Amino acid sequence: MAELFYLTNLTGLTNLTILLLLLACAVSAFISTVTGGAGGILMFAALNVVIPLRLLVPIHGVVQFINNIARIYYVRQHIRWTFCIPFFIGCTAGALLMTLGLARLDWQEVSLALLAGLIFYTVFKPKRLPEIRLTPRQYGWLGLVTGSFGILAGAVDPLLAPFFVRRDLSPQEVVATKSVMQAWCHALKVPAFIYLGFTFSDHLGLILLLAVAALVGTRIGVTLLNRLDGEVFFKLMRAALLLAGLRLVYQLTAG
């Protein structure tokens, strides 16, 4: 297994550490598929233990892009394209604006705090309060925010997930449509970070290893997703959102 050091291009990592990273990717991908969210930020947090943030955001983006493409393939017949098309437009605009520096990095803490509040509203809101149900056109504005936020923060599933806790969508539609949006957002990171000077080829071995681990978790998760009751799915989704919200609170208070 000594060749793992060469493949990852990260010095100072033991084989055990690398294997634990692969396990974290597989488990996170499984969680994303079964619960519809939180796996991305959990993967990001696990990888950030050993991978510096300046490297992690682009690397995580490519791994998540590959992972979401695989998930889309398995549940492609459930995609709500009427939600996706406006999102694509807004997300592309948001990523472009952030990449060109027309937004400011010192907004990050404010955006994280707002995101945490949105998550906790979704998880703990009383039943008499409404679900957050966007119209197809309004997903364009969500895309604008997500495209900008994704360049800064890496994981985008906590931002998208609160807008998919809605009973007019089946679990398969939630996972399929949200995966398409996430894949688009992560795909935009490749040209963005190339423009900003990041060299993906220097980390190709690590990206491929993490992507394979994530694909394994996704395949297992899809098998379980097809057997889940809708009520159980949304309970799991809220639990995953709670974990993501707690992680954001920790990120805000520990920094």
Side-chain angles (χ1 to χ4, degrees), residues 200-218:
F200 285 95
S201 59
D202 289 346
H203 307 279
L204 186 59
L206 176 63
I207 290 170
L208 292 176
L209 285 173
L210 297 177
V212 169
L215 292 176
V216 172
T218 293

Side-chain angles (χ1 to χ4, degrees), residues 25-245:
C25 280
V27 172
S28 300
F30 172 82
I31 291 172
S32 281
T33 305
V34 174
T35 67
I41 196 169
L42 294 177
M43 181 190 296
F44 193 89
L47 297 179
N48 193 212
V49 173
V50 295
I51 301 176
L53 188 61
R54 63 183 178 83
L55 301 179
L56 180 55
V57 174
I59 289 173
H60 175 268
V62 175
V63 172
Q64 283 292 78
F65 169 72
I66 297 171
N67 182 31
N68 278 285
I69 289 296
R71 195 180 306 139
I72 291 166
Y73 173 78
Y74 291 123
V75 290
R76 58 191 181 278
Q77 65 272 29
H78 299 287
I79 297 170
R80 288 284 194 96
W81 289 108
T82 54
F83 293 171
C84 294
I85 302 302
F87 180 89
F88 292 165
I89 298 171
C91 187
T92 303
L96 181 62
L97 289 174
M98 183 59 72
T99 303
L100 295 178
L102 299 180
R104 294 285 181 245
L105 291 177
D106 56 7
W107 291 2
Q108 185 173 6
E109 286 193 0
V110 176
S111 63
L112 288 177
L114 292 173
L115 176 55
L118 178 63
I119 287 174
F120 289 125
Y121 170 83
T122 304
V123 173
F124 294 112
K125 72 175 183 64
K127 290 185 177 180
R128 66 179 179 274
L129 292 181
E131 295 178 339
I132 305 174
R133 292 194 182 187
L134 301 183
T135 64
R137 182 173 296 181
Q138 288 170 338
Y139 275 94
W141 295 107
L142 177 61
L144 182 67
V145 176
T146 305
S148 303
F149 186 82
I151 298 295
L152 287 176
V156 297
D157 55 347
L159 178 56
L160 290 176
F163 300 95
F164 283 91
V165 184
R166 41 190 295 177
R167 301 311 174 98
D168 59 333
L169 298 177
S170 70
Q172 290 81 4
E173 287 175 325
V174 169
V175 171
T177 306
K178 185 167 162 290
S179 294
V180 170
M181 293 180 179
Q182 290 176 177
W184 184 269
C185 187
H186 290 305
L188 292 172
K189 293 179 185 179
V190 176
F193 280 102
I194 289 175
Y195 174 79
L196 294 172
F198 186 80
T199 306
F200 285 95
S201 59
D202 289 346
H203 307 279
L204 186 59
L206 176 63
I207 290 170
L208 292 176
L209 285 173
L210 297 177
V212 169
L215 292 176
V216 172
T218 293
R219 185 66 189 93
I220 297 172
V222 168
T223 302
L224 183 56
L225 175 66
N226 291 328
R227 301 177 182 178
L228 272 183
D229 174 73
E231 189 67 27
V232 174
F233 172 82
F234 285 109
K235 286 181 179 179
L236 290 173
M237 192 173 184
R238 284 189 171 90
L241 273 172
L242 178 59
L243 289 176

